[in-house]
Each structure stands twice: as C-alpha cells, then as structure tokens.
Amino acid sequence: MNYVGFLLLTFAMFIWGSSFIALKIAMIDMQAFSVIFFRMLIASLCFLYFIKDFMKFNFTKRNVKFLILLAFFEPCLYFIFEAKALQLTSVSQAGMITSLLPIIVGVAAGFFLKEKITFRLLLGSFIALLGTVILSSNATASQSAPNPILGNFLEFLAMACGAGYTIVARYLTKEFSALFITAFQVFIGTIFFFPIFIYEFSTNDINFTLNSVLALFYLGVVVTLAGYGLYNYALTKVEASKAAIFIYLIPVFALVLANLILDEKVSLVELLASFIILFGVFVSEFQVKKLKRKRA
C-alpha cells in the first residue's frame, strides 16, 4: 500500500465531502453558476504566482488536446451538472450518486489504461457501494429536494464526467505537475463560467452575505486548490482505478459535516453504513499491500 497516496486521497475526499456543504450555503444567497465562477476566479488568482513556473513545461499538440479534454470533463461539464443537481436534490442523495464513480472509473481504466481490475478491488467496491446505498437511503436531508430524481440524474452525469477527468488526469500526471493541472482547470473554468455569470448577474440579484463570501473563499482556496491538488498528486502514486475507490468516503464525510454544521441528525443505521463504506475501502486497498508482499 502506498501510505502517502492513501493519506492524500483520504484528505482530498474529506475536503470534497465538505464542498457539498459549502455549495449549499453559498447557493442560498447566490445563483448556482455565479458560485462556481467566483470559486474558479478566487482559485485562479491564487495560481497567478506560479505562471512563470508553468511556462517551463513542454507543450505538445497531443498534451494540449488532453489538457483541453480534461478541462472539458472537469470543471466545465462536471460543475454544470453538479451545481444544478444540488439545487434539486439533497446532500445525502448526491453523496450516494458519487459512489457510482469508482465503478465507472474501474471499467474505463481497464479499457483505456489497461489497468488490472482484481477480484478484491471489485469486492471492496461492492461492499462500499452497499454501504453508500444504505447510508443515503437513511440520511436526513438538511435542505429541501424539490426534484430528487432529476437532481440525482444530473449528479450521475457529473460522475460520468468525473470518470473521464480521472482517466485523462492519470495520463497527464506523467507529463505535468499536479499543481499545473489544477491551475489549468481553474483558469479554463473561470473563462468558461464567466459568460454564464454575466447572464445570471443581469437577470438575478446576487447577495454577498458573510456566509456566502466565506463559503466562496473556502470553495476557491481549500476545495479547489487543496482538494484537486492533493487528488492530482495522489494519482502520481496510485492507479486511477484504486484512487477512485476513495470516492466512497465522500458521502461519509458529507454526512458527518452535515450533522456538525447543518445540524442534520445521524441515525444508528447511518453510522453502521459509514462503517461498511470504510471497510469496503480497506478491503480494496489491502489487495495492493498483499501484491507488494508477494513481489518482495
């Protein structure tokens, strides 16, 4: 087991789990895509310091195509679907849909990256998926979900884009640093969401309350910079199919944070489901450790 990759992925999932809470808070006072734009803008300003270092990379036509494809998957399409999803469904329901990402990534990684999909990896995925279903079906939403079916479908589309992003990022980490990949995403995201922000600004009121501003800076600095930076760096140490298993931790962290911040109640069944998810991740990671011992 690569313990550095394990810790980085776990922390990244904690940050991403908290992003659901921050998005919900920010979208109380602001339009969905305005939130995403300011999130990208704040992160872009943080990356301006590193522009000179980024120019040292060797940009080929092939790499540029993959970079554009990466940004197309995420943040562009991913946040279009997720922002609208969180307006229609609850944090717990959206968290349940994120559990489908490892399955999509596992199949895609086996097909495109020729990564080996082992029985223990599949078993761990199934256990974690079972726990996530139990978790989300028993969770109490903190916000109203006016159209959870449509919202969950949009979150599923976001996960499909997330799978495409993970596969492309796995290739790009061989050519570029995790810091550059993250910066490229937010620069493109800022440009992409700017015209949508202009439209929302001209047609709706935007209220910069203390809570919304704090949520925006948390999303822009912590979630975008730290979350994606840690995840992209972890992909240099962990295979895409194994890294995707950690997505199962997102609904666990989201549930805990929703209880602490949004005062959502956690039942015994939900705690049991969280344990099942963690156990599924352990089963999947144990495979890596066992293989290393055999090779030694």
Side-chain angles (χ1 to χ4, degrees), residues 222-238:
V222 179
V223 176
T224 301
L225 268 68
Y228 279 98
L230 290 172
Y231 186 74
N232 288 334
Y233 182 68
L235 285 176
T236 65
K237 301 179 177 299
V238 181

Side-chain angles (χ1 to χ4, degrees), residues 119-138:
F119 171 75
R120 193 175 290 272
L121 181 64
L122 292 175
L123 177 62
S125 299
F126 175 78
I127 294 173
L129 176 61
L130 175 62
T132 305
V133 171
I134 297 173
L135 172 68
S136 298
S137 63
N138 287 274

Side-chain angles (χ1 to χ4, degrees), residues 30-256:
M30 301 178 64
Q31 296 298 309
F33 295 123
S34 295
V35 172
I36 303 301
F37 167 72
F38 281 111
R39 170 182 180 172
M40 295 295 157
L41 178 62
I42 293 170
S44 295
L45 294 175
C46 295
F47 276 118
L48 289 178
Y49 176 81
F50 301 99
I51 286 183
K52 289 184 178 180
D53 294 330
F54 295 156
M55 299 307 295
K56 298 177 182 178
F57 288 107
N58 181 30
F59 296 94
T60 65
K61 289 184 178 180
R62 179 178 174 83
N63 288 340
V64 171
K65 289 180 180 179
F66 274 102
L67 284 169
I68 294 174
L69 182 62
L70 178 86
F72 177 73
F73 280 131
E74 194 168 341
C76 297
L77 288 182
Y78 180 92
F79 283 115
I80 284 179
F81 294 134
E82 182 162 272
K84 297 305 294 183
L86 287 176
Q87 289 182 317
L88 301 173
T89 190
S90 65
V91 169
S92 58
Q93 290 167 334
M96 183 270 285
I97 302 301
T98 63
S99 65
L100 299 177
L101 179 58
I103 298 174
I104 302 173
V105 171
V107 174
F111 184 77
F112 292 105
L113 302 181
K114 308 302 180 184
E115 294 183 3
K116 185 178 181 181
I117 308 300
T118 64
F119 171 75
R120 193 175 290 272
L121 181 64
L122 292 175
L123 177 62
S125 299
F126 175 78
I127 294 173
L129 176 61
L130 175 62
T132 305
V133 171
I134 297 173
L135 172 68
S136 298
S137 63
N138 287 274
T140 302
S142 61
Q143 300 287 339
S144 61
N147 194 340
I149 295 177
L150 177 58
N152 289 343
F153 176 69
L154 292 174
E155 186 67 21
F156 171 79
L157 293 180
M159 291 305 102
C161 294
Y165 156 79
T166 301
I167 299 300
V168 178
R170 179 64 175 167
Y171 166 79
L172 288 173
T173 52
K174 300 176 182 177
E175 305 291 333
F176 302 101
S177 68
L179 185 68
F180 170 77
I181 293 175
T182 308
F184 183 83
Q185 287 180 270
V186 298
F187 287 145
I188 296 298
T190 303
I191 297 172
F192 181 84
F193 285 102
F194 177 68
I196 307 177
F197 158 70
I198 294 298
Y199 172 76
E200 289 188 340
F201 180 77
S202 62
T203 56
N204 299 276
D205 293 330
I206 297 180
N207 300 314
F208 289 99
T209 64
L210 178 60
N211 285 341
S212 64
V213 170
L214 290 176
L216 286 175
F217 273 92
Y218 180 80
L219 288 167
V221 178
V222 179
V223 176
T224 301
L225 268 68
Y228 279 98
L230 290 172
Y231 186 74
N232 288 334
Y233 182 68
L235 285 176
T236 65
K237 301 179 177 299
V238 181
E239 292 180 352
S241 57
K242 294 182 175 63
I245 294 297
F246 283 78
I247 298 298
Y248 288 126
L249 296 177
I250 291 179
V252 177
F253 290 133
L255 176 68
V256 173

